[in-house]
Amino acid sequence: MAFWLSSPFQRKRLLLAAGALALLGLLVLAAMLWRNWNAVALGPQHSVQTINPKVGIHTRLTDEVEPWKIKRTWEMVREMGSPWAVEYFPWAYVEGARGRFEWAHSDLVVAHAARQGVQVVARLGFVPEWARPAETTPLYLDAEHFADFGLYAAAFVARYADTIDHVIIWNEPNLALEWGFQPPDPVKYTEMLRVIYPMIKAANPNVQVLAGALAPTNAPPGSAEAMNDLDFLRAMYAAGAAPYFDMLAIHAYGWHGDPDEPADAGAINFRRAELMRAIMVENGDSAKQAMITEGGWNDHPRWTRAVHPAQRIAYTLRAYQIADAEWPWLDALCLWVFRFPWDQKSYQDYYTFVRTDFEPRPIYSEMQGYTAGELLPAAGANSAGDQP
Amino acid sequence: MRRRMWGLAVLLLLGMVVGGLLLGGPPAWLTGGDPTWARMVDDAKLRVGIDPSFPPFDQLDDAGAPAGFDVDLAQALAARWGMRVEIVPISFDSLLDAVKATRVDAVISAMPYDERQTRDVTYSQPYFEAGIRLVVRADSPIRDTAGLAGRRVAVEWGSAGDMIARRLQRSDEIALEPVLYDTPQDALTAAASGDVDALLIDQVSLRLAQGAGAPLVAVGPVLESNPYVILTPRKAPQLAAAVNEALIALSDDGTLAALADRWFGSAATPAAEEGLP
């Protein structure tokens, strides 16, 4: 040792090594401090106060990295009087490498939601690279990897068995965009359900599996981009999907129509949900409940499917009333979308209830008033317009 | 000594190059110039993307041809450069992609500035501020939001003006009384007739009402900015510089104000205290 240290060159190397170790230690310490600084206490247990137990919203915390923003989101969802929320838990984010699960972010999202008394309906999808061919999108899944998706879903429902009672399998499989740019295929989607459903139920028999979540569309037969949602649901039943889901997830966008516009197979409007329900009944599934897991109105000043801001508020409040008073087969109405982590700078921003900086948009404040049982503002007294 | 001089000269040259890169980005000669501008000059043509569904900025005339403030602005720019204009109708959601893919040389279509897209396109200086203003009758003593305490303030229900009214109540603790209207037109009518003391509304709606003779004026600063800008391709530095230079000139010589008068109507009262177009 003395000989080793006796060389000036080697003493220098030792000093360098010690310096590098010290630097590494400092970096580790800084990382630990950073993690602690970012930690946010869960806080006391809350419950949601509302006159309408079916009020829900679709949150978007997938890419929200700051814990205080996750907590603030759930606080504001609770304060809006919404006991339900749909949130997305992408498979690729959790199981980036096969069999190695990283739950930190979803743990945070689920724990804060539970502490605020909000019931999360978990949307599952988004395929990791290892489970799909190269040059495919994360929305592409071959039948040979259905069981891998099932393993993720089973791990998910087991992990959150105490807090999450509902999971949605995939999103809008009747759109080519959401089906890996493949032609929409209700038979293949049914096969996915047939593989995954028993795996989920084996991991957590109490969880409710939602299927469908179809995009409302009147795409013509043979369209490469989309398949009519009513036709897709009928084809799912024809393919034998009924035993492999417990509830139907419905998307109910209003576009230009008010929520009292009658259901019509040729129109995209809010009450198209009733047509989806009718198909369930026709196929002997009347005992099953449904949830609207996306929907609502947009008030972008230029988007062709938007309405005026006042109409958006009136239509939205009326939609929640319809869900509560007229649709006993519906457990929750979760509209798109509570808030984005950052501005989309497109019509999508005009679906939000809260801005990225958490400033409530007027529709949020009106929702708070509605769920608290307050009278609606009398805009109609000042000018002609629709009032719920 | 001679070697030292050479060394200093090399260092100086390097410093100039690095400084130039830091200050203004790579020079055109280093990046292959500005192919967009070169093509425009060769063809003597400016191709402009417009979504003709947002009057009075972008619309179709009786013959079905694109018209409006933005079409006239494109003509004014091209005229300064000795070019003709080709209008390319594009849906609003595709305008950004059109300029990114250089399907058009510029987008002039009441497009708001988006700081997240500055790596993909170049934005000009604003040519119209469409943000939310505090609006009063021309003879009102109210000069700013602090003067709204105890006042009846009209807003379009659910709009950005409504949000700001709620923000003033909540954060600034100004005890104003919001009066909700279903449309901006109803709110403007109430303000013009004196049914309310003030109004929070976007500058486009205000300017249209002023053009129709409403005795209303914007006071105080813009409460939430929404500037309309021109988009050009990212690798078109000469075009971007020419656009900004032309916008300054068109503002200075009164062209922008004249365009506003043409498409919104002449304002009987000043459009705003600081003279926005």
Side-chain angles (χ1 to χ4, degrees):
Chain A
M1 183 69 173
F3 171 77
W4 187 77
L5 286 173
S6 65
S7 156
F9 174 70
Q10 286 170 332
R11 272 204 300 275
K12 197 171 173 183
R13 279 178 67 180
L14 180 67
L15 279 173
L16 275 173
L21 270 176
L23 188 63
L24 188 66
L26 278 173
L27 284 172
V28 170
L29 188 65
M32 290 169 68
L33 285 172
W34 175 249
R35 197 181 170 95
N36 282 336
W37 281 330
N38 275 304
V40 173
L42 284 173
Q45 182 64 50
H46 290 278
S47 61
V48 177
Q49 306 300 313
T50 181
I51 62 161
N52 184 343
K54 295 184 182 178
V55 169
I57 194 77
H58 198 311
T59 50
R60 191 64 177 187
L61 293 167
T62 314
D63 299 305
E64 183 55 84
V65 294
E66 295 181 70
W68 77 266
K69 290 182 179 175
I70 292 170
K71 181 179 183 182
R72 185 70 192 123
T73 297
W74 291 125
E75 286 173 341
M76 290 188 76
V77 168
R78 170 178 58 79
E79 290 164 359
M80 191 176 81
S82 173
W84 295 95
V86 174
E87 179 54 59
Y88 188 21
F89 296 90
W91 177 18
Y93 286 24
V94 174
E95 196 182 0
R98 187 174 203 152
R100 291 174 57 187
F101 296 91
E102 173 50 70
W103 298 105
H105 187 265
S106 46
D107 283 353
L108 202 61
V109 169
V110 172
H112 278 295
R115 193 55 64 96
Q116 297 300 324
V118 177
Q119 296 185 67
V120 171
V121 179
R123 175 186 145 193
L124 306 181
F126 207 78
V127 183
E129 282 187 12
W130 60 264
R132 57 187 168 86
E135 309 299 325
T136 56
T137 77
L139 304 177
Y140 179 94
L141 188 61
D142 270 332
E144 65 186 272
H145 288 289
F146 285 170
D148 291 321
F149 185 30
L151 286 172
Y152 163 66
F156 185 93
V157 299
R159 184 173 187 86
Y160 301 118
D162 292 339
T163 43
I164 292 185
D165 296 330
H166 302 82
V167 292
I168 310 168
I169 304 303
W170 214 262
N171 182 62
E172 299 184 336
N174 62 321
L175 298 183
L177 169 74
E178 300 280 354
W179 195 240
F181 289 103
Q182 302 298 300
D185 185 345
V187 175
K188 186 178 174 186
Y189 178 66
T190 299
E191 178 62 14
M192 180 194 286
L193 295 174
R194 194 189 64 77
V195 172
I196 293 171
Y197 180 84
M199 297 173 75
I200 292 174
K201 298 301 262 192
N204 177 1
N206 298 321
V207 78
Q208 298 292 293
V209 176
L210 283 80
L214 304 173
T217 170
N218 276 321
S223 165
E225 283 82 36
M227 182 172 173
N228 181 301
D229 50 330
L230 305 176
D231 293 343
F232 194 100
L233 183 57
R234 288 191 191 98
M236 280 174 58
Y237 276 113
Y244 304 115
F245 67 97
D246 303 313
M247 300 176 71
L248 186 70
I250 297 172
H251 289 184
Y253 286 95
W255 289 6
H256 293 122
D258 78 54
D260 283 306
E261 192 176 273
D264 176 352
I268 304 298
N269 61 22
F270 182 68
R271 286 187 184 267
R272 191 177 179 87
E274 294 173 348
L275 303 181
M276 301 294 279
R277 174 63 184 173
I279 294 171
M280 292 175 73
V281 175
E282 283 166 20
N283 285 277
D285 254 355
S286 58
K288 286 182 185 170
Q289 290 292 98
M291 279 190 181
I292 291 176
T293 53
E294 269 190 36
W297 287 264
N298 183 292
D299 58 7
H300 188 279
R302 296 179 70 174
W303 192 43
T304 50
R305 290 172 180 170
V307 296
H308 293 298
Q311 288 175 311
R312 182 181 172 218
I313 292 174
Y315 292 176
T316 299
L317 300 183
R318 174 68 186 139
Y320 283 116
Q321 289 177 330
I322 290 169
D324 190 34
E326 298 182 28
W327 291 348
W329 44 267
L330 192 82
D331 280 356
L333 167 56
C334 301
L335 295 187
W336 180 258
V337 59
F338 189 70
R339 169 187 171 268
F340 288 117
W342 55 78
D343 288 340
Q344 308 297 299
K345 294 289 183 184
S346 75
Y347 71 93
Q348 284 284 354
D349 291 325
Y350 291 79
Y351 273 119
T352 61
F353 285 58
V354 169
R355 301 207 314 184
T356 55
D357 61 1
F358 290 101
E359 175 160 18
R361 298 184 73 194
I363 192 170
Y364 174 88
S365 308
E366 301 298 357
M367 278 297 300
Q368 275 190 308
Y370 164 65
T371 58
E374 294 169 7
L375 287 175
L376 299 174
N382 299 311
S383 53
D386 295 301
Q387 287 294 294
Chain B
M1 183 67 181
R2 203 170 159 185
R3 258 179 85 180
R4 185 174 292 174
M5 289 295 284
W6 271 110
L8 275 174
V10 168
L11 274 178
L12 192 64
L13 189 64
L14 270 174
M16 286 170 67
V17 171
V18 171
L21 287 172
L22 286 175
L23 288 173
W29 56 264
L30 201 63
T31 58
D34 182 342
T36 303
W37 181 254
R39 192 208 49 73
M40 289 170 59
V41 170
D42 284 348
D43 297 349
K45 186 168 74 177
L46 167 65
R47 299 173 307 168
V48 177
I50 280 178
D51 165 32
S53 67
F54 191 56
F57 283 93
D58 312 287
Q59 59 197 62
L60 297 176
D61 64 18
D62 292 340
F69 185 108
D70 286 330
V71 173
D72 283 1
L73 177 56
Q75 300 283 8
L77 289 173
R80 291 186 63 82
W81 303 330
M83 299 176 183
R84 62 196 166 86
V85 173
E86 179 190 341
I87 299 294
V88 183
I90 298 170
S91 69
F92 181 75
D93 287 335
S94 300
L95 287 168
L96 188 72
D97 288 337
V99 75
K100 280 164 69 174
T102 62
R103 271 192 58 214
V104 294
D105 304 317
V107 163
I108 309 177
S109 195
M111 285 289 282
Y113 172 75
D114 178 359
E115 67 280 1
R116 290 193 310 123
Q117 299 292 345
T118 52
R119 290 175 65 179
D120 297 321
V121 296
T122 300
Y123 289 103
S124 74
Q125 66 174 59
Y127 65 89
F128 189 89
E129 173 56 72
I132 304 300
R133 307 298 307 266
L134 170 59
V135 175
V136 295
R137 283 179 58 88
D139 55 0
S140 169
I142 298 171
R143 312 315 299 166
D144 55 31
T145 54
L148 294 178
R151 302 286 194 167
R152 285 163 53 81
V153 180
V155 293
E156 179 195 6
W157 191 27
S159 67
D162 184 2
M163 186 179 68
I164 290 170
R166 294 172 199 247
R167 183 193 303 161
L168 291 170
Q169 286 181 299
R170 186 178 56 242
S171 304
D172 298 346
E173 296 177 347
I174 296 172
L176 58 85
E177 181 190 343
V179 185
L180 307 176
Y181 292 87
D182 281 352
T183 69
Q185 290 74 26
D186 291 337
L188 282 156
T189 301
S193 64
D195 286 350
V196 293
D197 301 307
L199 164 69
L200 294 167
I201 201 159
D202 67 276
Q203 181 85 3
V204 176
S205 300
L206 168 64
R207 193 64 185 78
L208 282 167
Q210 288 174 321
L216 297 171
V217 62
V219 295
V222 177
L223 298 173
E224 185 152 294
S225 182
N226 185 25
Y228 292 164
V229 291
I230 295 174
L231 282 62
T232 51
R234 189 73 186 91
K235 291 179 179 172
Q238 283 176 271
L239 171 58
V243 166
N244 279 330
E245 188 184 328
L247 285 177
I248 292 168
L250 293 173
S251 177
D252 289 348
D253 69 11
T255 302
L256 289 183
L259 288 183
D261 282 351
R262 176 175 182 200
W263 288 102
F264 291 103
S266 291
T269 49
E273 288 193 326
E274 60 267 42
L276 288 165

